[in-house]
Amino acid sequence: MTTLHTPAQDARSTADQHLLTTDNRDAYRAGMTTAVDLVADRLAAVRRPQTGVRPADLAHEVDAVDLDTPLPDTAAALDELGRLWLRDAVWFHDPGYLAHLNCPVVLPALAADALASAVNSSLDTWDQSAGATLVEQKLVTWLADRAGLGPAADGVFTSGGTQSNLQALLLARDEACARLRRARPGARLPELLGGLRILASDVGHFSVVTAARLLGLGEDAVVAVPTDHGRRMRVDALAAALADLREQGLEPMAVVGTAGTTDFGSIDPLPAIADLCAEHGAWFHVDAAYGGGLLVSPTRRHLLAGVERADSVTVDPHKTFFQPVACSVLLVRDGASLRHVTHHADYLNPETAPEPNQVDKSLQTTRRFDAVKLWTTLRVLGADGIGAMVDRVVDLAAETWPLLDVHPDFDVVVRPELSTLVFRYVPAERLPEDDVDELNRHVRRSLAATGEVVLGGTTVDGRAFLKTTLLNPTTTGDQLVAVLGLVIRHAEAWLAAR
Ligand SMILES: *Cc1c(COP(=O)(O)O)cnc(C)c1O
């Protein structure tokens, strides 16, 4: 007689094999070990930050996977990923990786991240997280203390600087609306929103504009304040813009000071911006997604002076605290301002709940325990250990800048305050500007194609520039000099082939 397999039996056997349960401890160990071995083996083989693979090269391999036909086991699936992903992945620990704000990651954070995935605590409520909630809260308080935000400060971990900025501006919007309503009781929301403006420098992050759109203000609500030669917000221009808004009867709802612009690492004059915000009753948000690492710098904390006067601060530990993605924090001076995102759901976090429920402070509901990575890192390296690595990459930029500055064939935009260098190759023979643009774009492309070096690229005053974002504390000055040598070599080859 044949036994009939019922769906319930199938589910039971699948579950018995694949769920993390008491009985599956050995399978768990084996699966994790296979994954760790795969990465360790790749690390042994990696010689370049990327292979130069093109989308078309990989697309057919990915396309060929039949997602409706499973492989025999995890080892086989990981092996397949080795081909589809790891073989050609972009590696941020390689000194040739210089493109974006990606950091090599520290080992304690990786171990802690494995715990976060396995235990799967969710930080929205105490009854899904227990101790994890307290760990996050303590870490938020610690960061807020480092920023100097005072005794009422609070905050929450988020998925990234984009989300931290969005939440900060949401709080600012609702504070402004509450203020306006006191003057105009009964005013409807759309009437209030139309008059709100956000001011940020002309090299502020685009997520500020995205936030304005999401918050119902429209992108035109963001006023771009001009920057000086160091790409820092001009205080006189900010004062003029604020006065101008007042004259038009518009409400400067927030000023965003960027502490570490994405392109230049420039730091806006935070104390002067704080003064103007106080004068105009505007919310002062500091976007320190990049510069936040200075909070633990043993030698350069002073560069963030003025951050202690912010109403809110964005910090991205997945940039300058060497954490795996995602790890970002929004800090606020007055914890009570977080009420603007609070919603009490009867099933989740009723108003009468006696326990701390972090969902009261967050735009997310189910939320990963990202704080545990940074916590574990701090417990192992200490703040000074992380800060020393931040200092190292800032030093590296400072040491390399003079070489670019005096070199006859390089044009460098600003003397770095953080760890980026933005420059272009300008040949001795005079070329039309458009050709110089093409030359620099070519250098970036041809270097990337070899896989040896991944440079960043950006546009400055309408012209094409190259960029190195230094976030690897093991990179040496000599290695950077070698990269500049490669830039020259590829530039000369382009010139010769013309
Ligand atoms: C990277 C960055 C952001 C966005 O952060 P994500 O974590 O990428 O979402 C915002 N502001 C600045 C200044 C940044 O450098």
Side-chain angles (χ1 to χ4, degrees):
M1 199 176 88
T2 52
T3 43
L4 286 175
H5 253 301
T6 68
Q9 282 169 326
D10 283 349
R12 183 59 206 238
S13 96
T14 303
D16 282 347
Q17 262 189 74
H18 295 294
L19 288 181
L20 177 62
T21 60
T22 306
D23 289 341
N24 271 344
R25 303 189 307 278
D26 290 340
Y28 167 61
R29 273 201 192 92
M32 294 302 285
T33 305
T34 308
V36 169
D37 285 347
L38 187 60
V39 174
D41 290 349
R42 274 318 303 164
L43 286 172
V46 167
R47 295 281 174 272
R48 308 177 283 178
Q50 65 167 31
T51 61
V53 74
R54 290 162 307 168
D57 301 333
L58 282 177
H60 71 275
E61 292 201 57
V62 176
D63 282 349
V65 173
D66 177 5
L67 289 175
D68 291 312
T69 309
L71 295 167
D73 54 24
T74 304
L78 293 180
D79 192 55
E80 181 179 77
L81 282 174
R83 208 161 35 77
L84 302 178
W85 172 32
L86 296 181
R87 187 188 63 203
D88 295 293
V90 180
W91 295 94
F92 303 139
H93 71 280
D94 189 287
Y97 183 82
L98 299 160
H100 301 286
L101 280 163
N102 312 98
C103 52
V105 292
V106 286
L107 299 176
L110 291 177
D113 218 9
L115 295 188
S117 289
V119 182
N120 207 22
S121 294
S122 181
L123 271 285
D124 38 345
T125 57
W126 173 265
D127 71 357
Q128 302 174 72
S129 64
T133 287
L134 301 180
V135 166
E136 172 172 286
Q137 285 183 334
K138 187 175 168 86
L139 191 52
V140 163
T141 305
W142 183 86
L143 282 163
D145 280 349
R146 283 260 159 182
L149 292 180
D154 200 352
V156 71
F157 275 70
T158 76
S159 64
T162 301
Q163 202 196 15
S164 296
N165 284 346
L166 170 64
Q167 184 169 350
L169 292 170
L170 185 157
L171 303 182
R173 181 197 66 178
D174 289 359
E175 286 288 319
C177 285
R179 202 168 52 238
L180 292 174
R181 277 229 174 80
R182 284 196 285 277
R184 297 168 58 187
R188 287 173 42 247
L189 193 61
E191 297 166 33
L192 299 178
L193 292 185
L196 299 182
R197 293 293 179 273
I198 300 167
L199 299 99
S201 94
D202 56 17
V203 288
H205 194 262
F206 68 82
S207 56
V208 172
V209 176
T210 309
R213 289 161 57 189
L214 286 168
L215 293 171
L217 310 178
E219 55 189 276
D220 292 342
V222 180
V223 178
V225 181
T227 43
D228 64 14
H229 64 280
R231 308 285 155 167
R232 294 170 295 238
M233 185 187 281
R234 268 176 42 204
V235 179
D236 63 323
L238 175 62
L242 286 164
D244 190 45
L245 292 180
R246 285 290 180 217
E247 211 157 281
Q248 297 178 58
L250 298 168
E251 179 73 18
M253 137 200 150
V255 179
V256 179
T258 309
T261 57
T262 313
D263 264 351
F264 306 102
S266 48
I267 300 173
D268 286 340
L270 305 181
I273 297 174
D275 288 343
L276 284 167
C277 284
E279 192 183 313
H280 288 268
W283 181 279
F284 179 27
H285 176 62
V286 173
D287 180 359
Y290 176 12
L294 295 173
L295 289 173
V296 288
S297 158
T299 64
R300 288 190 172 83
R301 171 63 180 80
H302 61 274
L303 291 176
L304 287 182
V307 71
E308 70 284 354
R309 295 174 63 192
D311 292 298
S312 55
V313 184
T314 290
V315 178
D316 263 8
H318 65 213
K319 288 178 178 167
T320 38
F321 287 76
F322 310 98
Q323 298 298 299
V325 174
C327 195
S328 178
V329 195
L330 172 68
L331 303 170
V332 295
R333 147 179 313 288
D334 177 8
S337 65
L338 292 166
R339 72 183 178 284
H340 295 303
V341 297
T342 308
H343 178 87
H344 290 290
D346 294 338
Y347 77 95
L348 190 66
N349 59 333
E351 207 156 0
T352 52
E355 301 90 2
N357 291 321
Q358 296 289 87
V359 70
D360 296 352
K361 307 171 186 173
S362 176
L363 290 177
Q364 289 165 270
T365 307
T366 305
R367 189 161 55 84
R368 255 179 85 79
F369 188 18
D370 287 320
V372 74
K373 299 179 272 200
L374 183 56
W375 173 279
T376 311
T377 303
L378 265 178
R379 298 305 293 142
V380 179
L381 282 73
D384 285 354
I386 304 169
M389 295 201 292
V390 175
D391 278 352
R392 174 66 204 130
V393 293
V394 178
D395 285 341
L396 191 58
E399 289 160 16
T400 310
W401 173 78
L403 307 179
L404 284 164
D405 194 44
V406 301
H407 199 293
D409 295 337
F410 286 115
D411 213 355
V412 56
V413 185
V414 298
R415 183 179 190 148
E417 286 179 281
L418 279 172
S419 64
T420 55
L421 295 163
V422 182
F423 58 95
R424 70 194 319 223
Y425 183 88
V426 183
E429 68 169 291
R430 292 195 67 78
L431 290 184
E433 286 286 336
D434 285 350
D435 289 0
V436 180
D437 285 349
E438 186 41 39
L439 162 61
N440 282 278
R441 287 197 204 99
H442 162 82
V443 166
R444 181 162 177 243
R445 272 195 312 268
S446 62
L447 278 171
T450 68
E452 267 177 286
V453 174
V454 193
L455 288 180
T458 191
T459 304
V460 182
D461 303 331
R463 311 275 36 142
F465 274 73
L466 302 170
K467 172 173 143 180
T468 61
T469 307
L470 307 173
L471 281 187
N472 185 344
T474 70
T475 301
T476 65
D478 288 347
Q479 281 168 328
L480 274 186
V481 169
V483 167
L484 296 179
L486 283 174
V487 168
I488 293 170
R489 190 134 58 76
H490 284 252
E492 287 175 349
W494 184 87
L495 286 167
R498 248 166 24 108

